[in-house]
Amino acid sequence: MAMLRGFLLLFIIFSMGNAGADLAKTCPVGWTNFGFRCYKFISQPANWITAERNCQSLGANLASVRNKLEKNFLLSLLPSSSTRSWVGAHDGVQDGQWMWSDGTAFLYTNWCPGEPNNSQTENCLEINFSPNRCWNNAPCSILKSSLCVKDLCSHPAPQLL
Ligand SMILES: [Ca+2]
Ligand SMILES: [Ca+2]
């Protein structure tokens, strides 16, 4: 009976046409789904801008964080509790004005106590800093692992030429 219900559910889903197709969307191989986005941990150490460009080459950006659930999920992607990793926020345009590279509004934060500090020299955001696994601003030139994000339903940009 449970099996029959399962088949029925599948039938209903696939009968929904485009809606069914959307439900069936999955992240590319090597990416992990959370919510409506796909995430990838990049172990190769890089400075912040190189890490962002690398994410862009994969059709993504350095990860933005919108809430506590996403913050915790990103931590779960790190190979150890001491792996400090770049995400997509910087205040390089204007000191103290933090922005996410993917355009997400910078609203949720998880700064460590006393952070962000050294406002002129630390313009990029790393996660998993200190035993509290909170956020730190650090010099963008430091080499770290990184986390990329892209939308589950994103499509390649149309070729203009
Ligand atoms: Ca700064
Ligand atoms: Ca700092």
PDB file of all heavy atoms in Angstrom, residues 14-53:
ATOM      1  N   PHE A  14       4.933  14.083 -11.592  1.00  0.00           N
ATOM      2  CA  PHE A  14       5.307  14.154 -13.003  1.00  0.00           C
ATOM      3  C   PHE A  14       4.167  14.647 -13.877  1.00  0.00           C
ATOM      4  O   PHE A  14       4.366  15.019 -15.021  1.00  0.00           O
ATOM      5  CB  PHE A  14       5.825  12.791 -13.481  1.00  0.00           C
ATOM      6  CG  PHE A  14       7.214  12.522 -12.994  1.00  0.00           C
ATOM      7  CD1 PHE A  14       7.463  11.573 -12.018  1.00  0.00           C
ATOM      8  CD2 PHE A  14       8.281  13.268 -13.481  1.00  0.00           C
ATOM      9  CE1 PHE A  14       8.745  11.351 -11.557  1.00  0.00           C
ATOM     10  CE2 PHE A  14       9.566  13.050 -13.016  1.00  0.00           C
ATOM     11  CZ  PHE A  14       9.807  12.087 -12.053  1.00  0.00           C
ATOM     12  N   SER A  15       2.946  14.641 -13.327  1.00  0.00           N
ATOM     13  CA  SER A  15       1.801  15.151 -14.081  1.00  0.00           C
ATOM     14  C   SER A  15       1.725  16.670 -14.020  1.00  0.00           C
ATOM     15  O   SER A  15       0.921  17.289 -14.699  1.00  0.00           O
ATOM     16  CB  SER A  15       0.495  14.578 -13.515  1.00  0.00           C
ATOM     17  OG  SER A  15       0.523  13.180 -13.577  1.00  0.00           O
ATOM     18  N   MET A  16       2.566  17.262 -13.183  1.00  0.00           N
ATOM     19  CA  MET A  16       2.466  18.702 -12.976  1.00  0.00           C
ATOM     20  C   MET A  16       3.235  19.494 -14.030  1.00  0.00           C
ATOM     21  O   MET A  16       3.380  20.706 -13.926  1.00  0.00           O
ATOM     22  CB  MET A  16       2.983  19.073 -11.575  1.00  0.00           C
ATOM     23  CG  MET A  16       2.030  18.618 -10.479  1.00  0.00           C
ATOM     24  SD  MET A  16       2.797  18.644  -8.858  1.00  0.00           S
ATOM     25  CE  MET A  16       2.906  20.380  -8.540  1.00  0.00           C
ATOM     26  N   GLY A  17       3.735  18.808 -15.047  1.00  0.00           N
ATOM     27  CA  GLY A  17       4.393  19.493 -16.151  1.00  0.00           C
ATOM     28  C   GLY A  17       5.604  20.270 -15.696  1.00  0.00           C
ATOM     29  O   GLY A  17       6.489  19.708 -15.049  1.00  0.00           O
ATOM     30  N   ASN A  18       5.642  21.551 -15.985  1.00  0.00           N
ATOM     31  CA  ASN A  18       6.798  22.374 -15.645  1.00  0.00           C
ATOM     32  C   ASN A  18       7.072  22.382 -14.157  1.00  0.00           C
ATOM     33  O   ASN A  18       8.225  22.390 -13.729  1.00  0.00           O
ATOM     34  CB  ASN A  18       6.583  23.809 -16.129  1.00  0.00           C
ATOM     35  CG  ASN A  18       6.753  23.912 -17.634  1.00  0.00           C
ATOM     36  OD1 ASN A  18       7.395  23.034 -18.220  1.00  0.00           O
ATOM     37  ND2 ASN A  18       6.184  24.922 -18.245  1.00  0.00           N
ATOM     38  N   ALA A  19       6.014  22.398 -13.364  1.00  0.00           N
ATOM     39  CA  ALA A  19       6.207  22.397 -11.914  1.00  0.00           C
ATOM     40  C   ALA A  19       6.955  21.133 -11.502  1.00  0.00           C
ATOM     41  O   ALA A  19       7.857  21.172 -10.678  1.00  0.00           O
ATOM     42  CB  ALA A  19       4.860  22.477 -11.206  1.00  0.00           C
ATOM     43  N   GLY A  20       6.586  20.014 -12.130  1.00  0.00           N
ATOM     44  CA  GLY A  20       7.262  18.754 -11.831  1.00  0.00           C
ATOM     45  C   GLY A  20       8.727  18.822 -12.211  1.00  0.00           C
ATOM     46  O   GLY A  20       9.595  18.363 -11.483  1.00  0.00           O
ATOM     47  N   ALA A  21       8.997  19.454 -13.351  1.00  0.00           N
ATOM     48  CA  ALA A  21      10.378  19.573 -13.810  1.00  0.00           C
ATOM     49  C   ALA A  21      11.191  20.387 -12.805  1.00  0.00           C
ATOM     50  O   ALA A  21      12.344  20.070 -12.519  1.00  0.00           O
ATOM     51  CB  ALA A  21      10.417  20.232 -15.179  1.00  0.00           C
ATOM     52  N   ASP A  22      10.574  21.452 -12.264  1.00  0.00           N
ATOM     53  CA  ASP A  22      11.280  22.277 -11.278  1.00  0.00           C
ATOM     54  C   ASP A  22      11.601  21.471 -10.030  1.00  0.00           C
ATOM     55  O   ASP A  22      12.688  21.556  -9.477  1.00  0.00           O
ATOM     56  CB  ASP A  22      10.445  23.502 -10.899  1.00  0.00           C
ATOM     57  CG  ASP A  22      10.426  24.534 -12.022  1.00  0.00           C
ATOM     58  OD1 ASP A  22      11.341  24.492 -12.862  1.00  0.00           O
ATOM     59  OD2 ASP A  22       9.512  25.340 -12.040  1.00  0.00           O
ATOM     60  N   LEU A  23      10.641  20.664  -9.599  1.00  0.00           N
ATOM     61  CA  LEU A  23      10.864  19.856  -8.405  1.00  0.00           C
ATOM     62  C   LEU A  23      12.004  18.885  -8.607  1.00  0.00           C
ATOM     63  O   LEU A  23      12.689  18.523  -7.677  1.00  0.00           O
ATOM     64  CB  LEU A  23       9.585  19.077  -8.049  1.00  0.00           C
ATOM     65  CG  LEU A  23       8.462  19.905  -7.430  1.00  0.00           C
ATOM     66  CD1 LEU A  23       7.218  19.057  -7.257  1.00  0.00           C
ATOM     67  CD2 LEU A  23       8.917  20.459  -6.094  1.00  0.00           C
ATOM     68  N   ALA A  24      12.176  18.445  -9.878  1.00  0.00           N
ATOM     69  CA  ALA A  24      13.184  17.433 -10.155  1.00  0.00           C
ATOM     70  C   ALA A  24      14.576  18.030 -10.311  1.00  0.00           C
ATOM     71  O   ALA A  24      15.540  17.302 -10.458  1.00  0.00           O
ATOM     72  CB  ALA A  24      12.801  16.669 -11.416  1.00  0.00           C
ATOM     73  N   LYS A  25      14.707  19.362 -10.302  1.00  0.00           N
ATOM     74  CA  LYS A  25      16.023  19.978 -10.484  1.00  0.00           C
ATOM     75  C   LYS A  25      16.952  19.599  -9.337  1.00  0.00           C
ATOM     76  O   LYS A  25      16.565  19.602  -8.179  1.00  0.00           O
ATOM     77  CB  LYS A  25      15.890  21.494 -10.543  1.00  0.00           C
ATOM     78  CG  LYS A  25      15.458  21.998 -11.897  1.00  0.00           C
ATOM     79  CD  LYS A  25      15.931  23.424 -12.115  1.00  0.00           C
ATOM     80  CE  LYS A  25      15.675  23.884 -13.539  1.00  0.00           C
ATOM     81  NZ  LYS A  25      14.259  24.166 -13.765  1.00  0.00           N
ATOM     82  N   THR A  26      18.173  19.308  -9.695  1.00  0.00           N
ATOM     83  CA  THR A  26      19.157  18.964  -8.677  1.00  0.00           C
ATOM     84  C   THR A  26      20.412  19.789  -8.923  1.00  0.00           C
ATOM     85  O   THR A  26      20.593  20.362  -9.988  1.00  0.00           O
ATOM     86  CB  THR A  26      19.519  17.472  -8.740  1.00  0.00           C
ATOM     87  OG1 THR A  26      19.941  17.173 -10.065  1.00  0.00           O
ATOM     88  CG2 THR A  26      18.330  16.600  -8.368  1.00  0.00           C
ATOM     89  N   CYS A  27      21.282  19.794  -7.917  1.00  0.00           N
ATOM     90  CA  CYS A  27      22.544  20.507  -8.058  1.00  0.00           C
ATOM     91  C   CYS A  27      23.487  19.706  -8.957  1.00  0.00           C
ATOM     92  O   CYS A  27      23.363  18.484  -9.047  1.00  0.00           O
ATOM     93  CB  CYS A  27      23.181  20.693  -6.677  1.00  0.00           C
ATOM     94  SG  CYS A  27      22.263  21.842  -5.626  1.00  0.00           S
ATOM     95  N   PRO A  28      24.449  20.394  -9.590  1.00  0.00           N
ATOM     96  CA  PRO A  28      25.450  19.664 -10.374  1.00  0.00           C
ATOM     97  C   PRO A  28      26.242  18.712  -9.479  1.00  0.00           C
ATOM     98  O   PRO A  28      26.317  18.909  -8.264  1.00  0.00           O
ATOM     99  CB  PRO A  28      26.358  20.778 -10.910  1.00  0.00           C
ATOM    100  CG  PRO A  28      25.571  22.035 -10.780  1.00  0.00           C
ATOM    101  CD  PRO A  28      24.646  21.846  -9.627  1.00  0.00           C
ATOM    102  N   VAL A  29      26.837  17.704 -10.093  1.00  0.00           N
ATOM    103  CA  VAL A  29      27.676  16.764  -9.350  1.00  0.00           C
ATOM    104  C   VAL A  29      28.771  17.542  -8.620  1.00  0.00           C
ATOM    105  O   VAL A  29      29.394  18.440  -9.194  1.00  0.00           O
ATOM    106  CB  VAL A  29      28.310  15.731 -10.307  1.00  0.00           C
ATOM    107  CG1 VAL A  29      29.312  14.854  -9.568  1.00  0.00           C
ATOM    108  CG2 VAL A  29      27.221  14.884 -10.954  1.00  0.00           C
ATOM    109  N   GLY A  30      28.972  17.223  -7.362  1.00  0.00           N
ATOM    110  CA  GLY A  30      30.004  17.896  -6.582  1.00  0.00           C
ATOM    111  C   GLY A  30      29.485  19.084  -5.790  1.00  0.00           C
ATOM    112  O   GLY A  30      30.225  19.671  -5.002  1.00  0.00           O
ATOM    113  N   TRP A  31      28.228  19.450  -6.026  1.00  0.00           N
ATOM    114  CA  TRP A  31      27.606  20.551  -5.290  1.00  0.00           C
ATOM    115  C   TRP A  31      26.569  19.971  -4.342  1.00  0.00           C
ATOM    116  O   TRP A  31      25.967  18.937  -4.621  1.00  0.00           O
ATOM    117  CB  TRP A  31      26.947  21.541  -6.253  1.00  0.00           C
ATOM    118  CG  TRP A  31      27.928  22.266  -7.122  1.00  0.00           C
ATOM    119  CD1 TRP A  31      28.659  21.720  -8.149  1.00  0.00           C
ATOM    120  CD2 TRP A  31      28.308  23.644  -7.043  1.00  0.00           C
ATOM    121  NE1 TRP A  31      29.464  22.682  -8.713  1.00  0.00           N
ATOM    122  CE2 TRP A  31      29.268  23.869  -8.062  1.00  0.00           C
ATOM    123  CE3 TRP A  31      27.921  24.708  -6.220  1.00  0.00           C
ATOM    124  CZ2 TRP A  31      29.852  25.127  -8.259  1.00  0.00           C
ATOM    125  CZ3 TRP A  31      28.502  25.954  -6.422  1.00  0.00           C
ATOM    126  CH2 TRP A  31      29.453  26.156  -7.427  1.00  0.00           C
ATOM    127  N   THR A  32      26.328  20.650  -3.224  1.00  0.00           N
ATOM    128  CA  THR A  32      25.384  20.172  -2.225  1.00  0.00           C
ATOM    129  C   THR A  32      24.194  21.110  -2.152  1.00  0.00           C
ATOM    130  O   THR A  32      24.357  22.331  -2.053  1.00  0.00           O
ATOM    131  CB  THR A  32      26.059  20.115  -0.840  1.00  0.00           C
ATOM    132  OG1 THR A  32      27.254  19.338  -0.944  1.00  0.00           O
ATOM    133  CG2 THR A  32      25.134  19.477   0.185  1.00  0.00           C
ATOM    134  N   ASN A  33      23.012  20.541  -2.204  1.00  0.00           N
ATOM    135  CA  ASN A  33      21.787  21.341  -2.166  1.00  0.00           C
ATOM    136  C   ASN A  33      21.419  21.749  -0.739  1.00  0.00           C
ATOM    137  O   ASN A  33      21.515  20.954   0.189  1.00  0.00           O
ATOM    138  CB  ASN A  33      20.646  20.530  -2.793  1.00  0.00           C
ATOM    139  CG  ASN A  33      19.300  21.214  -2.609  1.00  0.00           C
ATOM    140  OD1 ASN A  33      18.396  20.627  -2.041  1.00  0.00           O
ATOM    141  ND2 ASN A  33      19.179  22.453  -3.055  1.00  0.00           N
ATOM    142  N   PHE A  34      21.012  23.008  -0.577  1.00  0.00           N
ATOM    143  CA  PHE A  34      20.403  23.460   0.674  1.00  0.00           C
ATOM    144  C   PHE A  34      19.435  24.568   0.316  1.00  0.00           C
ATOM    145  O   PHE A  34      19.826  25.554  -0.325  1.00  0.00           O
ATOM    146  CB  PHE A  34      21.464  23.953   1.665  1.00  0.00           C
ATOM    147  CG  PHE A  34      20.900  24.267   3.020  1.00  0.00           C
ATOM    148  CD1 PHE A  34      20.489  23.251   3.879  1.00  0.00           C
ATOM    149  CD2 PHE A  34      20.758  25.587   3.449  1.00  0.00           C
ATOM    150  CE1 PHE A  34      19.961  23.538   5.131  1.00  0.00           C
ATOM    151  CE2 PHE A  34      20.233  25.885   4.696  1.00  0.00           C
ATOM    152  CZ  PHE A  34      19.825  24.858   5.537  1.00  0.00           C
ATOM    153  N   GLY A  35      18.184  24.423   0.698  1.00  0.00           N
ATOM    154  CA  GLY A  35      17.168  25.377   0.260  1.00  0.00           C
ATOM    155  C   GLY A  35      17.077  25.327  -1.258  1.00  0.00           C
ATOM    156  O   GLY A  35      17.047  24.260  -1.856  1.00  0.00           O
ATOM    157  N   PHE A  36      17.061  26.499  -1.882  1.00  0.00           N
ATOM    158  CA  PHE A  36      16.987  26.551  -3.341  1.00  0.00           C
ATOM    159  C   PHE A  36      18.339  26.911  -3.936  1.00  0.00           C
ATOM    160  O   PHE A  36      18.415  27.491  -5.016  1.00  0.00           O
ATOM    161  CB  PHE A  36      15.916  27.555  -3.786  1.00  0.00           C
ATOM    162  CG  PHE A  36      14.531  27.101  -3.452  1.00  0.00           C
ATOM    163  CD1 PHE A  36      13.887  27.578  -2.315  1.00  0.00           C
ATOM    164  CD2 PHE A  36      13.886  26.164  -4.249  1.00  0.00           C
ATOM    165  CE1 PHE A  36      12.612  27.144  -1.994  1.00  0.00           C
ATOM    166  CE2 PHE A  36      12.617  25.724  -3.933  1.00  0.00           C
ATOM    167  CZ  PHE A  36      11.971  26.210  -2.808  1.00  0.00           C
ATOM    168  N   ARG A  37      19.418  26.572  -3.215  1.00  0.00           N
ATOM    169  CA  ARG A  37      20.741  26.916  -3.711  1.00  0.00           C
ATOM    170  C   ARG A  37      21.670  25.702  -3.652  1.00  0.00           C
ATOM    171  O   ARG A  37      21.404  24.712  -2.959  1.00  0.00           O
ATOM    172  CB  ARG A  37      21.336  28.086  -2.907  1.00  0.00           C
ATOM    173  CG  ARG A  37      20.412  29.315  -2.930  1.00  0.00           C
ATOM    174  CD  ARG A  37      21.158  30.608  -2.745  1.00  0.00           C
ATOM    175  NE  ARG A  37      21.636  30.798  -1.382  1.00  0.00           N
ATOM    176  CZ  ARG A  37      22.359  31.859  -1.004  1.00  0.00           C
ATOM    177  NH1 ARG A  37      22.687  32.780  -1.877  1.00  0.00           N
ATOM    178  NH2 ARG A  37      22.753  31.977   0.245  1.00  0.00           N
ATOM    179  N   CYS A  38      22.771  25.790  -4.368  1.00  0.00           N
ATOM    180  CA  CYS A  38      23.773  24.725  -4.421  1.00  0.00           C
ATOM    181  C   CYS A  38      25.097  25.288  -3.911  1.00  0.00           C
ATOM    182  O   CYS A  38      25.482  26.402  -4.272  1.00  0.00           O
ATOM    183  CB  CYS A  38      23.964  24.236  -5.856  1.00  0.00           C
ATOM    184  SG  CYS A  38      22.445  23.678  -6.653  1.00  0.00           S
ATOM    185  N   TYR A  39      25.789  24.506  -3.100  1.00  0.00           N
ATOM    186  CA  TYR A  39      27.006  24.972  -2.430  1.00  0.00           C
ATOM    187  C   TYR A  39      28.172  24.047  -2.739  1.00  0.00           C
ATOM    188  O   TYR A  39      27.990  22.841  -2.917  1.00  0.00           O
ATOM    189  CB  TYR A  39      26.806  24.993  -0.912  1.00  0.00           C
ATOM    190  CG  TYR A  39      25.753  25.958  -0.436  1.00  0.00           C
ATOM    191  CD1 TYR A  39      24.408  25.607  -0.460  1.00  0.00           C
ATOM    192  CD2 TYR A  39      26.096  27.222   0.027  1.00  0.00           C
ATOM    193  CE1 TYR A  39      23.431  26.489  -0.014  1.00  0.00           C
ATOM    194  CE2 TYR A  39      25.131  28.112   0.482  1.00  0.00           C
ATOM    195  CZ  TYR A  39      23.807  27.739   0.454  1.00  0.00           C
ATOM    196  OH  TYR A  39      22.844  28.621   0.895  1.00  0.00           O
ATOM    197  N   LYS A  40      29.376  24.635  -2.781  1.00  0.00           N
ATOM    198  CA  LYS A  40      30.567  23.826  -3.003  1.00  0.00           C
ATOM    199  C   LYS A  40      31.725  24.349  -2.162  1.00  0.00           C
ATOM    200  O   LYS A  40      32.003  25.552  -2.159  1.00  0.00           O
ATOM    201  CB  LYS A  40      30.962  23.864  -4.488  1.00  0.00           C
ATOM    202  CG  LYS A  40      32.092  22.917  -4.871  1.00  0.00           C
ATOM    203  CD  LYS A  40      32.364  23.008  -6.372  1.00  0.00           C
ATOM    204  CE  LYS A  40      33.480  22.081  -6.808  1.00  0.00           C
ATOM    205  NZ  LYS A  40      33.153  20.650  -6.623  1.00  0.00           N
ATOM    206  N   PHE A  41      32.381  23.456  -1.447  1.00  0.00           N
ATOM    207  CA  PHE A  41      33.587  23.801  -0.685  1.00  0.00           C
ATOM    208  C   PHE A  41      34.786  23.668  -1.596  1.00  0.00           C
ATOM    209  O   PHE A  41      34.955  22.654  -2.278  1.00  0.00           O
ATOM    210  CB  PHE A  41      33.743  22.872   0.526  1.00  0.00           C
ATOM    211  CG  PHE A  41      35.061  23.041   1.233  1.00  0.00           C
ATOM    212  CD1 PHE A  41      35.331  24.186   1.964  1.00  0.00           C
ATOM    213  CD2 PHE A  41      36.043  22.058   1.157  1.00  0.00           C
ATOM    214  CE1 PHE A  41      36.553  24.358   2.608  1.00  0.00           C
ATOM    215  CE2 PHE A  41      37.262  22.217   1.807  1.00  0.00           C
ATOM    216  CZ  PHE A  41      37.515  23.374   2.534  1.00  0.00           C
ATOM    217  N   ILE A  42      35.629  24.722  -1.636  1.00  0.00           N
ATOM    218  CA  ILE A  42      36.847  24.719  -2.453  1.00  0.00           C
ATOM    219  C   ILE A  42      38.041  24.662  -1.498  1.00  0.00           C
ATOM    220  O   ILE A  42      38.300  25.625  -0.773  1.00  0.00           O
ATOM    221  CB  ILE A  42      36.945  26.001  -3.317  1.00  0.00           C
ATOM    222  CG1 ILE A  42      35.652  26.224  -4.121  1.00  0.00           C
ATOM    223  CG2 ILE A  42      38.183  25.953  -4.209  1.00  0.00           C
ATOM    224  CD1 ILE A  42      35.413  25.246  -5.230  1.00  0.00           C
ATOM    225  N   SER A  43      38.753  23.555  -1.505  1.00  0.00           N
ATOM    226  CA  SER A  43      39.836  23.384  -0.528  1.00  0.00           C
ATOM    227  C   SER A  43      41.097  24.154  -0.923  1.00  0.00           C
ATOM    228  O   SER A  43      41.889  24.543  -0.060  1.00  0.00           O
ATOM    229  CB  SER A  43      40.168  21.897  -0.352  1.00  0.00           C
ATOM    230  OG  SER A  43      40.557  21.350  -1.592  1.00  0.00           O
ATOM    231  N   GLN A  44      41.299  24.393  -2.230  1.00  0.00           N
ATOM    232  CA  GLN A  44      42.502  25.081  -2.715  1.00  0.00           C
ATOM    233  C   GLN A  44      42.598  26.478  -2.099  1.00  0.00           C
ATOM    234  O   GLN A  44      41.714  27.315  -2.331  1.00  0.00           O
ATOM    235  CB  GLN A  44      42.436  25.195  -4.242  1.00  0.00           C
ATOM    236  CG  GLN A  44      43.558  25.979  -4.884  1.00  0.00           C
ATOM    237  CD  GLN A  44      44.885  25.254  -4.808  1.00  0.00           C
ATOM    238  OE1 GLN A  44      44.929  24.031  -4.925  1.00  0.00           O
ATOM    239  NE2 GLN A  44      45.954  25.994  -4.563  1.00  0.00           N
ATOM    240  N   PRO A  45      43.656  26.765  -1.342  1.00  0.00           N
ATOM    241  CA  PRO A  45      43.768  28.098  -0.734  1.00  0.00           C
ATOM    242  C   PRO A  45      43.937  29.186  -1.789  1.00  0.00           C
ATOM    243  O   PRO A  45      44.684  29.012  -2.753  1.00  0.00           O
ATOM    244  CB  PRO A  45      45.029  28.000   0.135  1.00  0.00           C
ATOM    245  CG  PRO A  45      45.250  26.528   0.321  1.00  0.00           C
ATOM    246  CD  PRO A  45      44.760  25.889  -0.939  1.00  0.00           C
ATOM    247  N   ALA A  46      43.244  30.292  -1.595  1.00  0.00           N
ATOM    248  CA  ALA A  46      43.328  31.417  -2.537  1.00  0.00           C
ATOM    249  C   ALA A  46      43.002  32.694  -1.788  1.00  0.00           C
ATOM    250  O   ALA A  46      42.332  32.662  -0.750  1.00  0.00           O
ATOM    251  CB  ALA A  46      42.341  31.222  -3.685  1.00  0.00           C
ATOM    252  N   ASN A  47      43.473  33.838  -2.334  1.00  0.00           N
ATOM    253  CA  ASN A  47      43.046  35.100  -1.743  1.00  0.00           C
ATOM    254  C   ASN A  47      41.577  35.325  -2.105  1.00  0.00           C
ATOM    255  O   ASN A  47      41.012  34.609  -2.937  1.00  0.00           O
ATOM    256  CB  ASN A  47      43.952  36.259  -2.163  1.00  0.00           C
ATOM    257  CG  ASN A  47      43.908  36.536  -3.656  1.00  0.00           C
ATOM    258  OD1 ASN A  47      42.875  36.378  -4.309  1.00  0.00           O
ATOM    259  ND2 ASN A  47      45.044  36.941  -4.208  1.00  0.00           N
ATOM    260  N   TRP A  48      40.954  36.343  -1.479  1.00  0.00           N
ATOM    261  CA  TRP A  48      39.495  36.489  -1.614  1.00  0.00           C
ATOM    262  C   TRP A  48      39.060  36.682  -3.055  1.00  0.00           C
ATOM    263  O   TRP A  48      38.135  36.036  -3.536  1.00  0.00           O
ATOM    264  CB  TRP A  48      39.013  37.656  -0.743  1.00  0.00           C
ATOM    265  CG  TRP A  48      37.517  37.772  -0.653  1.00  0.00           C
ATOM    266  CD1 TRP A  48      36.713  37.226   0.313  1.00  0.00           C
ATOM    267  CD2 TRP A  48      36.640  38.484  -1.554  1.00  0.00           C
ATOM    268  NE1 TRP A  48      35.394  37.543   0.069  1.00  0.00           N
ATOM    269  CE2 TRP A  48      35.323  38.312  -1.075  1.00  0.00           C
ATOM    270  CE3 TRP A  48      36.851  39.235  -2.715  1.00  0.00           C
ATOM    271  CZ2 TRP A  48      34.220  38.874  -1.719  1.00  0.00           C
ATOM    272  CZ3 TRP A  48      35.745  39.790  -3.362  1.00  0.00           C
ATOM    273  CH2 TRP A  48      34.448  39.605  -2.849  1.00  0.00           C
ATOM    274  N   ILE A  49      39.735  37.603  -3.790  1.00  0.00           N
ATOM    275  CA  ILE A  49      39.265  37.904  -5.147  1.00  0.00           C
ATOM    276  C   ILE A  49      39.492  36.721  -6.081  1.00  0.00           C
ATOM    277  O   ILE A  49      38.671  36.449  -6.969  1.00  0.00           O
ATOM    278  CB  ILE A  49      39.899  39.210  -5.698  1.00  0.00           C
ATOM    279  CG1 ILE A  49      39.201  39.652  -6.978  1.00  0.00           C
ATOM    280  CG2 ILE A  49      41.388  39.076  -5.901  1.00  0.00           C
ATOM    281  CD1 ILE A  49      37.725  39.995  -6.814  1.00  0.00           C
ATOM    282  N   THR A  50      40.579  35.983  -5.890  1.00  0.00           N
ATOM    283  CA  THR A  50      40.807  34.792  -6.717  1.00  0.00           C
ATOM    284  C   THR A  50      39.752  33.737  -6.412  1.00  0.00           C
ATOM    285  O   THR A  50      39.260  33.048  -7.322  1.00  0.00           O
ATOM    286  CB  THR A  50      42.221  34.235  -6.462  1.00  0.00           C
ATOM    287  OG1 THR A  50      43.176  35.260  -6.729  1.00  0.00           O
ATOM    288  CG2 THR A  50      42.504  33.032  -7.339  1.00  0.00           C
ATOM    289  N   ALA A  51      39.388  33.621  -5.141  1.00  0.00           N
ATOM    290  CA  ALA A  51      38.335  32.673  -4.751  1.00  0.00           C
ATOM    291  C   ALA A  51      37.007  33.068  -5.387  1.00  0.00           C
ATOM    292  O   ALA A  51      36.262  32.219  -5.899  1.00  0.00           O
ATOM    293  CB  ALA A  51      38.209  32.626  -3.227  1.00  0.00           C
ATOM    294  N   GLU A  52      36.698  34.381  -5.391  1.00  0.00           N
ATOM    295  CA  GLU A  52      35.454  34.852  -6.022  1.00  0.00           C
ATOM    296  C   GLU A  52      35.466  34.584  -7.528  1.00  0.00           C
ATOM    297  O   GLU A  52      34.487  34.091  -8.093  1.00  0.00           O
ATOM    298  CB  GLU A  52      35.265  36.347  -5.738  1.00  0.00           C
ATOM    299  CG  GLU A  52      34.172  37.032  -6.540  1.00  0.00           C
ATOM    300  CD  GLU A  52      32.752  36.560  -6.219  1.00  0.00           C
ATOM    301  OE1 GLU A  52      32.541  35.970  -5.147  1.00  0.00           O
ATOM    302  OE2 GLU A  52      31.864  36.774  -7.070  1.00  0.00           O
ATOM    303  N   ARG A  53      36.592  34.880  -8.175  1.00  0.00           N
ATOM    304  CA  ARG A  53      36.697  34.636  -9.627  1.00  0.00           C
ATOM    305  C   ARG A  53      36.558  33.144  -9.922  1.00  0.00           C
ATOM    306  O   ARG A  53      35.958  32.761 -10.937  1.00  0.00           O
ATOM    307  CB  ARG A  53      38.038  35.148 -10.156  1.00  0.00           C
ATOM    308  CG  ARG A  53      38.157  36.659 -10.134  1.00  0.00           C
ATOM    309  CD  ARG A  53      37.425  37.298 -11.304  1.00  0.00           C
ATOM    310  NE  ARG A  53      37.606  38.742 -11.312  1.00  0.00           N
ATOM    311  CZ  ARG A  53      36.640  39.611 -11.035  1.00  0.00           C
ATOM    312  NH1 ARG A  53      35.432  39.194 -10.710  1.00  0.00           N
ATOM    313  NH2 ARG A  53      36.870  40.900 -11.067  1.00  0.00           N
TER     314      ARG A  53
END
